[in-house]
Amino acid sequence: MRIGDAKQTYQADEAIWTSSTQKFWFSLLLLILLVFPFLANAYLLYLGCLVGIAVISTTGLNILTGFTGLISLGQAGFMGVGGYTVAWLSLNTGLPFPVALLLAGLMAAAVGILVGLPSLRVKGLYLAIATLAASVFLHFIFAEWEPVTGGMAGLSLEPAHLFGFTFQSDFRMYFIIVPLAVLMVFAARNVFRTRVGRAFIAIRDRDISAEILGINLLRYKLMSFALSSFYAGVAGGLFAYFYRVVTPESFPLAMSIFYLAAVIVGGMGNLLGGILGAAFMTLVPEILKLLTAALTPFYPNAPVFMSPMLEIIFGALIVGFLIFEPHGLAEIWHRIRRFFSLWPFRN
């Protein structure tokens, strides 16, 4: 056999092995997600739902920041738009939750387009400040537009319902949140197989070159803002249905920093990184709570000492990953896969 033929045969075998392995692990993941709610206790179910919501919002922000290169600190504001839209529709129209979630995503996308208008003229730190200002403005609307948002008291809403079935427990909400998270991650994956997704990446890598190649920068930047905000709106709607109450304090600035940290820690421009980052950053506060509970018998002032540590840890994680592992947890996962690539399935 010639060297060229041997190389082609190896590449074909590699592609087949990779495809079959991915199908195996994906099937195993789906099985674990399906079995998990029947084996988990109430606390783990609660965490599972939070991770699912975080995955949706982080995936949306990753589309904007990781794949298009547009830094945003307005994710909490867009989630708030989705949350308040769902709450208002639930109280005033009684629409089924799938319709309310879709409208929440569309409303957030419309707001995202307005916020994204300056992106043609400003970028980098200036765009981050612009999105931060938009988030502060939206927070002001949530607090002051009392006839619609309920002011500081917020809005309470009924549990999600569909065809006479009410999703009023974490167990039932799990079967809304997690399947929707899986669906939206795969939708985002397919976006980057299209011309739109490739345009996003071209803008991130070199916007001037992308414009020379005929890519309409404003159009695709606004599309990225709209898509990212749509994901945030859906996540905010699920957040509202999960907690069944929304207030201005439900979507603080710290939440925007949380999701940006999840994108950076997980790996910008990598959908797997968004999933890993969302899960990791959601579990960090819970690990901190467990650590505080463990230290309290030996150090009674541990709660006082540990209470401000969450923000410090978030900041340290962002700085640490930017310096030591800029590709995030996704790259660490790929290294582990490469290390074990010869075991146990291959000859």
Side-chain angles (χ1 to χ4, degrees):
M1 181 181 292
R2 292 178 299 177
I3 293 177
D5 294 338
K7 183 177 180 180
Q8 291 177 358
T9 302
Y10 172 78
Q11 290 175 342
D13 292 341
E14 181 78 6
I16 293 172
W17 182 86
T18 302
S19 176
S20 60
T21 303
Q22 287 178 344
K23 290 179 180 178
F24 168 77
W25 287 112
F26 178 65
S27 300
L28 180 61
L29 174 62
L30 289 182
L31 180 61
I32 292 173
L33 293 177
L34 181 62
V35 173
F36 174 79
F38 297 99
L39 301 178
N41 57 29
Y43 177 67
L44 292 179
L45 271 175
Y46 167 80
L47 288 182
C49 292
L50 288 185
V51 169
I53 294 171
V55 165
I56 295 174
S57 189
T58 303
T59 300
L61 185 59
N62 208 359
I63 292 172
L64 182 65
T65 299
F67 287 96
T68 317
L70 303 174
I71 301 175
S72 172
L73 288 173
Q75 199 72 351
F78 301 135
M79 287 184 66
V81 172
Y84 274 101
T85 300
V86 158
W88 189 89
L89 290 173
S90 175
L91 291 173
N92 294 278
T93 66
L95 289 173
F97 82 88
V99 179
L101 277 180
L102 177 61
L103 293 176
L106 293 175
M107 180 64 72
V111 175
I113 291 174
L114 293 176
V115 174
L117 286 174
S119 64
L120 184 63
R121 298 296 181 185
V122 298
K123 55 185 178 181
L125 178 61
Y126 298 102
L127 181 60
I129 294 174
T131 57
L132 174 61
S135 183
V136 173
F137 178 70
L138 289 171
H139 190 275
F140 176 80
I141 292 177
F142 300 155
E144 300 298 330
W145 197 9
E146 293 190 14
V148 175
T149 65
M152 293 304 297
L155 298 174
S156 299
L157 61 158
E158 296 296 322
H161 63 276
L162 183 67
F163 303 127
F165 191 79
T166 303
F167 298 86
Q168 58 186 2
S169 65
D170 292 353
F171 178 83
R172 293 182 176 182
M173 283 299 300
Y174 178 92
F175 289 99
I176 296 177
I177 295 171
V178 173
L180 193 56
V182 173
L183 180 63
M184 296 189 75
V185 168
F186 271 86
R189 181 172 179 264
N190 288 330
V191 165
F192 294 102
R193 295 179 174 180
T194 67
R195 180 179 179 180
V196 174
R198 292 191 292 270
F200 290 167
I201 296 172
I203 292 171
R204 177 197 66 188
D205 292 342
R206 193 71 174 177
D207 56 350
I208 297 176
S209 300
E211 189 174 22
I212 293 173
L213 292 173
I215 295 174
N216 188 319
L217 294 185
L218 180 60
R219 176 186 176 188
Y220 284 102
K221 284 182 177 181
L222 292 183
M223 288 177 65
S224 181
F225 261 101
L227 188 57
S228 174
S229 301
F230 178 85
Y231 273 66
V234 172
L238 290 173
F239 183 95
Y241 276 126
F242 183 65
Y243 286 104
R244 298 210 292 274
V245 63
V246 286
T247 69
E249 299 307 315
S250 300
F251 309 100
L253 173 62
M255 181 178 284
S256 294
I257 298 173
F258 169 90
Y259 286 115
L260 183 61
V263 171
I264 294 173
V265 170
M268 291 190 292
N270 190 306
L271 291 176
L272 175 61
I275 297 171
L276 296 177
F280 180 78
M281 296 303 291
T282 302
L283 295 177
V284 164
E286 304 305 320
I287 295 173
L288 195 61
K289 290 178 183 177
L290 294 176
L291 181 60
T292 302
L295 290 176
T296 300
F298 307 98
Y299 181 57
N301 291 327
V304 177
F305 174 76
M306 298 294 286
S307 59
M309 290 297 293
L310 185 59
E311 287 76 13
I312 297 174
I313 291 174
F314 281 174
L317 286 172
I318 293 174
V319 174
F321 272 88
L322 285 174
I323 295 175
F324 300 106
E325 187 49 85
H327 297 292
L329 294 173
E331 179 61 24
I332 296 175
W333 168 249
H334 290 317
R335 288 177 185 171
I336 295 173
R337 283 189 59 189
R338 287 194 293 269
F339 182 79
F340 290 102
S341 61
L342 298 177
W343 179 89
F345 301 107
R346 303 184 66 181
N347 296 323

